[in-house]
Every structure is written in structure tokens, then in C-alpha cells.
Amino acid sequence: MSTAHATHARERDRRNLRPVAAVALVPLLAALALWAFAWPAARIAPRDLPLGVAGPTAATARLEQRLEHRKGAFEIHHYADEAAARGAVEDRSVYGAVVVTDRGPELLTASAAGPIVAQLLRQAFEEQAAASGTQLTTVDVVAAPANDPRGSVLSSSVLPLALAGIAAGAAVTLLGLRGRRAVIVLVAGAGLVGMAAAGLAHSWLGVLTGDWWTEAGVLGLATLAVGAAVAGLAALLGPAGLGLGASLMMLLGNPFSGASSAPQMLPDPAGRIGQWLPPGASATLLRSVSYFDGAAATGPALTLTWWAALGLGAVLVGGALKARTKAAGPVTERDLAPVG
């Protein structure tokens, strides 16, 4: 068989394999997406959920013994009195606290930190109080806004922000923008998204109740972190990087964010992974600046900043490499010919 015939046969085989690969890829992606979204949702339960306990030592010891029956559910933090426990809830050190008093147990919650968590704590301790014949008093220390009592609007913001970031990264890549031009477009676009989102969520819907400009900055930084990561991977890896970045944010970042419940309510290590990715970090940071006066905002803010900085750096490096390759030009037979 001649070389031309062999090359033609290989090309024909590749063309025949493409439909088979496409048919096999669709159910694989569907299974992966179903696993990523359904597995965490089906396994929601407290796992080392930070919970405060305050009151006399003898009384809190009995309470802790009952909590230990739910192995691995709670991470217990001890506080001297109700004021200290309340401060811990407001600082986001714990999701709630049980205060043992002469009048009976008092449960401090923060539905703004996660309505599902607050509901779970109420149900758990109401059952315990009923079993012991006491009356449980519940105080919502940091309540969710009246316009979003279930936290559904805030948790729903994770997907649109991720989509906006992916769209920005894809647009920069497909339009052939490189280097500083790409960076300027990504930063400017993210800033506009942040202001538009704050206008909708804060000014119109009233579901965000913090400082308007701080919220706009968080929403813009969340978009930039995703967009820069997608564009940076595409600048370094080409079309494969674009797909990798989009898949990372959609199939891991979004379902592992814990925005609808809490990171500690997801199976391990999904909750931890989600907080390392922009969607999860942005949801946590947005709760902090909107409802808790910025408490516990440093960690997620640094996560988003690192993603944005590394992504923009990758965009600059990828653009420089492509410019250098273009300037060098293609290698010709004349370039390879011996001198002399």
C-alpha cells in the first residue's frame, strides 16, 4: 500500500470514529453532571458543623453527651455565657449555639448564614427538649432578609455569576484578545456585572442588605475570578483549556459551593473543594459582607483574589508566548538548510 493510500485510510478511520466518540461522550458527560449535582444534594447532613455550647459546666456536659451520639455531626465550641455565644454566632465562628439556663435551653441561630442549617438545629434541639420535658427558646441572632427568608435568591446567584464569568472568558478567547487588552476587557466586564447584579439583588429585590459598593465589588470579583481562570487556561492550553475551565466551574464549583446549605453540610471532601473554587468562595463572601458586616470574609476574599490574579497572569503569559511564536515565524526548509 502506498503512503498516500495509508494516509487516506487513517483519515477515513478517524472520521468513522468521531461519531462513535460523540455518542459515547454525551452519556459520559450526563453521568458526570448528574453525579456532581445529585450526589452532594442527596447526602446533605451536618459534618463537623461548628456549634457553640454555653452555660454551667455540669449542665453543658450532659448536653455534650447527647450531642456525641450524633458522631461527627458537630464541632463543639465552648463559651462562658450567652453574650460570648451570641458574639461567636455574629462573627460566623459557629452556625448556632445552645445556651443552658435556669429557664431551660436557649438556641441561638443565624438563618442569614444558611436557613437550612438554622432549621436543622431547631428540629434537632426541639426533639431533645421535648424528650427531656423542657421548653426550647429559639433566637434568630442574624436573621435572613424578609425578602429572601429561605436564602434561595442568594444561593441562586452562584450559577449566573459562574455563567457570566465563563461567558467573559470564552468571549475574550474567541475574539482573539490577548495580553493587556484581554485583561482590561475581563476586569471592565466583571465590574459592570458586579454593579448590575448589585442593582438587581440589593436595590430592586432587596435580598442583600449590606453596603452596596462592597456587594458590587464582591459580585464583580466573583465574576472576574471565573472569567480570568477560564481565559487563562485557554491562553495556555488552547481550546482544551477553555473546556477545562468551564467544566471545573460548572461541574465542581457550582454543585460543591454549599450556597443552598453550608459547606459543612456536604459530603467530604465536596464542601472543602467547593470553598477552594470561586463559586463557593463567592457565596460565602457575599453572605459575610451582606449580613455579617464582613465577619469571616478574609478567607473567601483571598481565594477569589488568587484565582483572579493567577488567571490574569496566565492570560498575560499566554499572550506573550503567542506573540513570540508569531514573531519568530514558521520554520522553513531554507532555515534548516546547512550554511555554506
Side-chain angles (χ1 to χ4, degrees):
M1 181 182 294
S2 65
T3 303
H5 287 166
T7 303
H8 179 72
R10 287 195 297 269
E11 180 62 27
R12 185 181 64 250
D13 292 340
R14 282 196 294 268
R15 286 198 302 268
N16 293 335
L17 285 174
R18 286 171 188 169
V20 177
V23 170
L25 184 62
V26 171
L28 178 62
L29 290 176
L32 180 61
L34 183 61
W35 166 81
F37 282 86
W39 171 59
R43 296 290 186 271
I44 287 181
R47 295 171 177 84
D48 291 327
L49 186 78
L51 177 69
V53 173
T57 304
T60 57
R62 290 194 296 270
L63 173 62
E64 289 180 36
Q65 287 178 355
R66 291 196 295 268
L67 292 175
E68 286 177 357
H69 291 163
R70 304 185 63 173
K71 295 181 179 179
F74 299 107
E75 179 185 277
I76 304 300
H77 297 249
H78 299 270
Y79 299 100
D81 51 30
E82 180 182 350
R86 182 182 291 264
V89 174
E90 294 172 343
D91 291 340
R92 302 204 72 184
S93 299
V94 294
Y95 281 90
V98 182
V99 183
V100 180
T101 67
D102 296 335
R103 304 180 305 275
E106 181 181 64
L107 174 63
L108 306 179
T109 64
S111 58
I116 290 180
V117 178
Q119 181 182 4
L120 179 144
L121 292 176
R122 285 196 303 270
Q123 291 176 346
F125 288 100
E126 282 174 357
E127 291 175 359
Q128 288 191 7
S132 60
T134 58
Q135 182 68 34
L136 178 70
T137 303
T138 302
V139 179
D140 198 349
V141 177
V142 185
N147 290 336
D148 190 22
R150 296 181 179 85
S152 55
V153 178
L154 187 143
S155 61
S156 298
S157 67
V158 173
L159 180 58
L161 290 176
L163 288 175
I166 292 171
V172 164
T173 303
L174 297 176
L175 291 175
L177 301 178
R178 299 175 185 170
R180 283 181 289 182
R181 291 180 64 194
V183 168
I184 292 172
V185 169
L186 287 169
V187 173
L192 292 175
V193 169
M195 289 188 287
L200 290 171
H202 184 117
S203 304
W204 182 40
L205 298 175
V207 298
L208 301 181
T209 58
D211 178 74
W212 194 95
W213 285 106
T214 302
E215 293 166 352
V218 170
L219 293 164
L221 180 59
T223 305
L224 179 61
V226 175
V230 171
L233 287 170
L236 295 177
L237 304 177
L242 187 63
L244 175 62
S247 299
L248 182 65
M249 299 304 167
M250 288 299 298
L251 296 181
L252 290 183
N254 189 53
F256 289 4
S257 67
S260 61
S261 55
Q264 294 85 356
M265 296 287 286
L266 300 181
D268 193 60
R272 285 180 293 164
I273 293 174
Q275 294 305 296
W276 299 338
L277 296 173
S282 64
T284 301
L285 181 58
L286 192 58
R287 288 189 188 280
S288 291
V289 301
S290 297
Y291 310 134
F292 293 87
D293 294 326
T298 303
L302 288 175
T303 298
L304 293 177
T305 301
W306 275 111
W307 274 99
L310 292 175
L312 294 177
V315 169
L316 293 173
V317 171
L321 292 175
K322 289 180 180 178
R324 183 178 301 176
T325 301
K326 184 177 180 181
V331 178
T332 65
E333 294 182 1
R334 183 178 179 180
D335 296 327
L336 299 176
V339 179

